[in-house]
Amino acid sequence: MRFNNSLRILSTGMGWPSAQPGGLNTYFKHICEQLSEIHDVQALVCSADDPVIRDGMSVTNVAKTQLKLSKRREAFRHHAAWLMDNKEMDIVYSHFAPYSLGVAMEAKKRNIPVVMTFHGPWSEEMKVEARD
């Protein structure tokens, strides 16, 4: 449902907490839920399973986590390009850097502003986890 002055937001995240628990996914879910109360949010995630969402939300699983990172990034870019070509979007709101670059490049081609939220140095965190 669109309200006066509401935005059409394409939001990209890493995953959804119903399939992949974790801080980033939980934060992303809550942001999308809050934004969708006023705005039209199209959320894109990568998940091994379909996300469990509340009514009135649009969350699309664009790729399975088993795919190589390059294939997941390309799936985000292609699906986002398709959405931007078929639905008018006011802004792209990104929450996971590895999936965001291609989406941001597609948004730039269409003069759609991009907002990226930095949640942490994920590549450094992965190095620390690998040592444990």
Side-chain angles (χ1 to χ4, degrees):
M1 171 189 309
R2 277 188 48 87
F3 297 92
N4 289 337
N5 299 319
S6 68
L7 297 170
R8 293 169 296 254
I9 302 169
L10 172 57
S11 191
T12 60
M14 183 173 73
W16 203 254
S18 60
Q20 292 171 282
L24 170 59
N25 294 338
T26 301
Y27 178 83
F28 180 67
K29 173 187 176 274
H30 289 296
I31 286 288
C32 288
E33 287 175 342
Q34 290 300 307
L35 287 171
S36 69
E37 292 191 11
I38 299 172
H39 306 287
D40 178 14
V41 178
Q42 301 288 317
L44 305 181
V45 298
C46 175
S47 179
D49 301 311
D50 288 332
V52 176
I53 60 171
R54 72 175 194 198
D55 288 341
M57 291 197 61
S58 177
V59 180
T60 303
N61 183 17
V62 298
K64 298 292 185 185
T65 53
Q66 298 88 340
L67 292 174
K68 290 183 178 183
L69 179 59
S70 61
K71 297 287 185 191
R72 287 179 272 150
R73 283 194 306 239
E74 199 58 28
F76 269 81
R77 182 180 188 147
H78 284 295
H79 196 83
W82 181 86
L83 274 173
M84 289 182 240
D85 288 342
N86 290 284
K87 288 187 154 206
E88 190 174 337
M89 293 291 163
D90 296 311
I91 192 164
V92 170
Y93 185 25
S94 173
H95 289 269
F96 187 57
Y99 300 156
S100 301
L101 184 59
V103 176
M105 291 168 58
E106 294 296 332
K108 183 177 180 180
K109 289 180 193 175
R110 295 160 179 83
N111 294 317
I112 299 170
V114 176
V115 174
M116 290 191 178
T117 299
F118 178 75
H119 291 277
W122 67 271
S123 60
E124 295 301 316
E125 291 170 1
M126 291 172 66
K127 289 177 192 174
V128 170
E129 286 180 11
R131 287 187 284 205
D132 293 339

